[in-house]
């Protein structure tokens, strides 16, 4: 018998509490000292993040967050709260839905405490990242297990690993693109958040990763949990929904940090190549994110636009993310059920 309600924990990456340099520093420090994000030994990681990255990047990052910030706060948090409220409404009284952020507030710990206080009989954990990566979904699952192992009583747990080609979600991305005249663009980019190649290799137990130029382009038993392969899977699903011929689009990766090689091709280099080839108008999907945020609104919508113009291009348009679309809220509720 199930006596309690069913708990649902929705988790996104996180956001500074405010766009001030101090709050951005605290956010970067927590985010980048996660061993699944910067996967080097503890002491070098602490020295690198607390001594170099967070102090030196917090000022410039704060300026970017100030561009992003709305009167109601950070978009990723606002959309997260609206999605959680909408999912709660759709699921009804049998469920209790809480939102947590992997870094900063509302924390995963505070969300779990609320669920446990309501005596839930089970918890479904849904990380709001369509593609699995150790640094994102893996970190969320790790944190949930770390916190719950302190409890004497642990409810039944269910983790949703990924949903990179989930048809109802794919259709929303495709429908969002249909508001644009696709034929008016010289090329379409599917730009995903980057990941160091060493992390791709660490996740590979089948000696498959980076052994060929097209190792990520087909999902198989060997690479089913590969972040890059799942990104290609998302691209192929959206392109198929839109009937895009293969020569019209490219899968690429943005937000590179440091000098080590990351998942390739890099979005910035693809844009440069297209500009030099005479492209004037680009349409960009950012389907690693279910909510528009710094990496979509500012990095793509502003920074890539400026770079493209300097190279002779004219327009970079961003396909809106899922945000608080009622269709997306229903997709989340259905995945939980």
């Amino acid at each position: 018998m199930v006596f309690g309600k069913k708990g649902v924990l929705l988790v996104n990456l996180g956001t500074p509490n405010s766009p001030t340099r101090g709050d951005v520093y605290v956010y970067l420090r927590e985010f980048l000292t996660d061993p699944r994000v910067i996967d080097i030994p503890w002491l070098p990681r602490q020295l690198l993040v607390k001594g170099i990255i967070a102090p030196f990047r917090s000022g410039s990052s704060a300026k970017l967050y100030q561009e992003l910030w709305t009167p109601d706060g950070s978009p990723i948090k606002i959309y997260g709260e609206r999605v959680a409220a909408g999912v709660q409404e759709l699921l009804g009284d049998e469920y209790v839905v809480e939102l947590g952020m992997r870094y900063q507030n509302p924390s995963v710990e505070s969300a779990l405490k609320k669920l446990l206080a309501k005596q839930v009989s089970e918890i479904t954990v849904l990380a709001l990242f369509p593609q699995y990566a150790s640094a994102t979904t893996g970190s969320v699952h790790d944190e949930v297990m770390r916190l719950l192992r302190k409890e004497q009583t642990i409810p039944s747990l269910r983790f949703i690993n990924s949903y990179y080609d989930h048809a109802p979600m794919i259709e929303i991305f495709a429908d969002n693109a249909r508001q644009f005249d696709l034929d008016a663009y010289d090329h379409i980019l599917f730009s995903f958040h980057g990941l160091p190649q060493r992390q791709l290799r660490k996740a590979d137990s089948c000696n498959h990763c980076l052994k060929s130029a097209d190792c990520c382009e087909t999902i198989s038993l060997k690479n089913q949990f590969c972040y890059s392969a799942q990104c290609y899977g998302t691209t192929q699903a959206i392109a198929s929904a839109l009937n895009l011929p293969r020569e019209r689009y490219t899968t690429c990766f943005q937000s590179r940090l440091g000098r080590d090689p990351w998942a390739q091709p890099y979005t910035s280099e693809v844009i440069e190549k297209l500009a030099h080839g005479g492209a004037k108008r680009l349409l960009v999907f950012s389907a690693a994110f279910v909510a528009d945020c710094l990496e979509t609104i500012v990095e793509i919508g502003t920074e890539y636009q400026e770079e493209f113009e300097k190279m002779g291009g004219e327009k970079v348009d961003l396909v809106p993310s899922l945000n608080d679309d009622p269709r997306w809220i229903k997709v989340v509720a259905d995945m939980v059920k």
Side-chain angles (χ1 to χ4, degrees), residues 63-240:
K63 292 178 182 178
L64 298 178
Y65 276 107
Q66 288 161 15
E67 291 182 37
L68 176 74
W69 224 254
T70 74
D72 294 325
S74 174
I76 197 170
K77 183 179 178 182
I78 295 167
Y79 289 131
E81 291 170 341
R82 292 175 182 171
V83 169
V87 171
Q88 178 68 78
E89 183 176 357
L90 288 178
L91 292 179
D93 291 339
E94 292 183 20
Y95 291 81
V96 180
V97 181
E98 294 291 344
L99 173 70
M101 294 292 181
R102 178 61 186 87
Y103 312 106
Q104 294 299 282
N105 299 300
S107 67
V108 172
E109 182 174 19
S110 67
L112 282 174
K113 284 183 176 179
K114 289 179 181 178
L115 292 175
L116 294 176
K118 294 183 179 179
Q119 303 297 316
V120 295
S121 295
E122 62 179 63
I123 298 175
T124 296
V125 180
L126 175 55
L128 296 171
F129 311 110
Q131 303 83 20
Y132 176 87
S134 172
T136 53
T137 305
S139 180
V140 169
H141 294 180
D142 195 358
E143 178 70 355
V144 169
M145 291 186 287
R146 183 187 73 83
L147 293 166
L148 286 180
R149 72 173 180 238
K150 302 175 184 178
E151 301 293 329
Q152 291 299 307
T153 302
I154 300 175
S156 295
L157 281 174
R158 183 166 68 107
F159 294 100
I160 297 177
N161 172 277
S162 60
Y163 39 96
Y164 63 93
D165 62 350
H166 188 51
M169 179 193 73
I170 294 298
E171 182 54 32
I172 302 172
F173 273 119
D175 200 44
N176 287 350
R178 293 186 183 105
Q179 64 185 277
F180 300 89
D181 179 5
L182 300 182
D183 292 333
Y185 294 92
D186 298 298
H187 205 69
I188 297 172
L189 302 184
F190 291 85
S191 182
F192 295 86
H193 198 285
L195 198 69
Q197 287 185 358
R198 69 174 184 274
Q199 293 190 12
L200 297 177
R201 288 193 295 267
K202 284 173 67 174
D204 173 31
S205 60
C206 299
N207 196 32
H208 176 81
C209 184
L210 301 175
K211 296 300 182 181
S212 66
D214 61 351
C215 67
C216 294
E217 294 190 16
T218 302
I219 290 277
S220 67
L221 179 66
K222 291 183 177 181
N223 66 357
Q224 61 179 318
F225 297 121
C226 171
Y227 171 72
S228 178
Q230 291 193 0
C231 290
Y232 276 92
T234 301
T235 293
Q236 291 160 8
I238 298 174
S240 176

Side-chain angles (χ1 to χ4, degrees), residues 236-263:
Q236 291 160 8
I238 298 174
S240 176
L242 292 171
N243 295 313
L244 295 177
R246 182 62 190 86
E247 66 274 9
R248 289 218 58 211
Y249 63 88
T250 299
T251 300
C252 47
F253 299 87
Q254 65 185 82
S255 308
R256 181 185 177 194
L257 175 65
R259 298 180 180 179
D260 289 346
W262 281 43

Side-chain angles (χ1 to χ4, degrees), residues 312-323:
E314 295 175 0
K315 185 63 176 174
V316 175
D317 279 322
L318 174 67
V319 177
S321 192
L322 308 177
N323 297 325

Side-chain angles (χ1 to χ4, degrees), residues 255-277:
S255 308
R256 181 185 177 194
L257 175 65
R259 298 180 180 179
D260 289 346
W262 281 43
Q264 297 178 26
Y266 303 132
T267 302
S268 57
E269 293 183 358
V270 172
I271 289 175
E272 182 178 6
K273 182 179 179 180
L274 289 168
H276 291 165

